Amino acid sequence: MSALKVARIKAWSWKVFRAVLLTGIGYVILYPILLKVSLGLRGKEDIYDQTIIWFPKHATLDNMWFVIEKMKYWDALLNTIGISAMAALLQTASCALAGYGFARLKYKGQGILFFLVIFTIIVPPQTVMIPTYLHFRYFDLFGLVELVTGRPGVNLLDSKWPFILSSITATGLKKRIVHLYLPAVFPIASE
């Protein structure tokens, strides 16, 4: 076989492999979602009918509206959008400041601090979930609350403060990305 035929066979087989792989991954991702949509559209008489797999005989949106009403979906959606937008803006601002400091300013101990930043990227979030929860459950800045009131701290759970504090301290986004991006944006070194 000529080199041209071998190259065409390789290219064709790569395209087939890629198509099969993407189709399989797409199926694995979409199957549970499509199944839940199919179950959500079923009427009461279709729930226990085992002959129905994908398309219900008595399709209805009553189940969806029932869940939206009971879960107070629209209130939760607005709350989620508000918290997400606030956290994104605060994290972007604080990470930009931290990234600019690492990218443009030279100071003693910068290597150690940058190692700690990289370390926060490496540490899995599951490692710090319980300490973070306890920190916000018994929040006490410098021990002042316990000193004044005698209680172990203030409960910040069920409020927006954990999101605000995490965003302001640049713990949400990875500062390394901002550190790599800022030299391209600000090419003039700070003095």
Side-chain angles (χ1 to χ4, degrees):
M1 276 201 283
S2 69
L4 182 61
K5 285 185 178 181
V6 171
R8 285 183 183 169
I9 290 172
K10 283 184 180 180
W12 183 81
S13 60
W14 172 244
K15 289 177 183 178
V16 169
F17 173 75
R18 217 174 33 192
V20 169
L21 182 67
L22 289 175
T23 303
I25 291 172
Y27 176 76
V28 167
I29 293 170
L30 291 178
Y31 175 77
I33 296 170
L34 293 175
L35 184 62
K36 295 303 176 196
V37 168
S38 173
L39 288 171
L41 293 175
R42 292 182 188 182
K44 290 180 182 178
E45 51 277 342
D46 291 342
I47 293 291
Y48 297 110
D49 188 356
Q50 295 185 5
T51 61
I52 299 172
I53 297 176
W54 287 108
F55 302 105
K57 293 177 185 171
H58 307 92
T60 180
L61 292 174
D62 290 343
N63 297 330
M64 305 286 186
W65 291 117
F66 177 77
V67 169
I68 286 172
E69 178 186 331
K70 290 297 179 186
M71 289 181 61
K72 300 177 183 168
Y73 177 77
W74 302 117
D75 294 337
L77 179 65
L78 288 175
N79 190 28
T80 300
I81 290 171
I83 288 175
S84 299
M86 174 200 55
L89 289 174
L90 290 173
Q91 283 181 4
T92 302
S94 61
C95 287
L97 288 172
Y100 183 81
F102 277 118
R104 291 290 166 213
L105 305 176
K106 302 300 176 211
Y107 48 89
K108 190 174 183 179
Q110 183 180 14
I112 295 170
L113 286 176
F114 192 68
F115 170 76
L116 292 175
V117 169
I118 298 299
F119 187 69
T120 62
I121 295 172
I122 295 171
V123 173
Q126 295 85 351
T127 309
V128 294
M129 280 174 60
I130 292 176
T132 303
Y133 173 84
L134 291 174
H135 175 72
F136 288 124
R137 171 61 183 92
Y138 302 106
F139 186 76
D140 192 1
L141 190 62
F142 304 120
L144 295 175
V145 174
E146 188 172 2
L147 181 68
V148 174
T149 64
R151 291 184 290 139
V154 178
N155 183 6
L156 294 182
L157 301 179
D158 294 332
S159 71
K160 295 178 183 171
W161 282 105
F163 299 104
I164 293 171
L165 294 173
S166 295
S167 299
I168 288 175
T169 55
T171 56
L173 295 176
K174 304 303 182 193
K175 293 170 282 301
R176 175 73 174 134
I177 297 168
V178 177
H179 175 237
L180 292 174
Y181 176 69
L182 279 175
V185 176
F186 299 105
I188 300 170
S190 300
E191 305 253 344

